[in-house]
Amino acid sequence: QVQLVESGGGLVQAGGSLRLSCAASGRTFSVYTMGWFRQAPGKEREFVARIRWSGGSTYYADSVKGRFTISRDNAKNTVYLQMDSLKPDDTAVYYCAARTSGHTNYDYWGQGTQVTVSS
């Protein structure tokens, strides 16, 4: 199994920045992709960004492209989401997820961290 723990959420004014962290433990050698998702009140969970554990290629949702940056530190088994130019629409619970080898969907999820952007 893989355990994921997010941190770094909080309250920030519009235009500000936050950096989320996701620390992975357990069978991290089986991780193929790490992703960030978010869910706002009354809305469905949506994809934000992902990064390949090996090679580091990235992909972003159009809504965050150019403002958010996903990165990883393999030595620390940690994935980051740098969020700049935050907007009130970015307010949500942010979840880290892992897709392990042999799986087509993300099969491990963190507990989530709240991000609130005030106008």
Side-chain angles (χ1 to χ4, degrees), residues 85-96:
S85 303
L86 282 161
K87 306 174 181 179
D89 284 350
D90 295 318
T91 295
V93 177
Y94 283 70
Y95 297 91
C96 173

Side-chain angles (χ1 to χ4, degrees), residues 2-119:
V2 177
Q3 294 79 40
L4 303 173
V5 178
E6 302 102 330
S7 61
L11 173 65
V12 64
Q13 289 188 332
S17 299
L18 279 176
R19 188 176 82 155
L20 305 182
S21 299
C22 174
S25 60
R27 297 173 62 89
T28 56
F29 62 85
S30 65
V31 173
Y32 178 66
T33 301
M34 295 289 291
W36 285 98
F37 293 75
R38 66 186 182 185
Q39 187 167 20
K43 296 186 177 181
E44 293 187 354
R45 185 174 60 196
E46 65 174 359
F47 167 80
V48 175
R50 66 94 172 135
I51 187 166
R52 298 291 188 215
W53 200 246
S54 177
S57 66
T58 58
Y59 184 78
Y60 297 90
D62 287 344
S63 59
V64 306
K65 199 173 297 182
R67 299 188 298 121
F68 291 11
T69 303
I70 189 171
S71 62
R72 87 243 191 264
D73 184 333
N74 289 36
K76 295 182 178 180
N77 289 328
T78 300
V79 173
Y80 304 98
L81 186 68
Q82 176 67 40
M83 304 185 293
D84 299 319
S85 303
L86 282 161
K87 306 174 181 179
D89 284 350
D90 295 318
T91 295
V93 177
Y94 283 70
Y95 297 91
C96 173
R99 175 187 159 196
T100 57
S101 300
H103 290 80
T104 55
N105 297 316
Y106 289 88
D107 46 330
Y108 294 100
W109 294 83
Q111 81 288 352
T113 185
Q114 176 70 47
V115 172
T116 303
V117 184
S118 63
S119 57

